[in-house]
Amino acid sequence: MATFVVEYVYDPHGGERMDDLRPAHRAFLGGLVDQGVIKVFGPSPSPEGAPGAYVIMEARSVSDAFELLEDDPFFVNDLITERIARELTIVGGGFSS
């Protein structure tokens, strides 16, 4: 397994729909935490005005990481306009082996 940092870029006009779906979104990601797939997730407001979030997770590949996140209610409802994944080689800190 590899570790990936997945960046979500949210629809800046999603406001009320995001508020309505946030509990389901967090429950979905929390389920992946319970399975040991996701290590950390949370929002990252942008000073440029495009809100987003980061998900740090383990998967076999970028495509597998995206597949694991396919059923995220924010993604299913088109509130995520872009997903960017980069592999992270951990050399120190709380996640190092």
Side-chain angles (χ1 to χ4, degrees):
M1 287 289 186
T3 301
F4 293 91
V5 176
V6 178
E7 179 182 4
Y8 280 179
V9 178
Y10 293 146
D11 177 352
H13 306 290
E16 196 170 307
R17 287 185 349 155
M18 290 183 85
D19 291 343
D20 292 343
L21 290 169
R22 186 166 287 109
H25 161 72
R26 289 186 176 168
F28 171 79
L29 295 177
L32 292 175
V33 169
D34 292 343
Q35 294 174 38
V37 173
I38 290 179
K39 303 305 178 189
V40 175
F41 69 91
S44 177
S46 171
E48 293 84 37
Y54 288 98
V55 177
I56 298 176
M57 63 188 298
E58 291 184 344
R60 288 186 290 267
S61 66
V62 169
S63 60
D64 284 345
F66 284 156
E67 186 175 321
L68 288 163
L69 297 170
E70 281 294 303
D71 293 328
D72 184 331
F74 277 8
F75 187 71
V76 170
N77 288 280
D78 298 320
L79 294 169
I80 297 171
T81 61
E82 186 175 9
R83 297 184 304 178
I84 304 154
R86 300 200 195 301
E87 188 170 347
L88 173 65
T89 301
I90 299 171
V91 296
F95 298 126
S96 59
S97 305

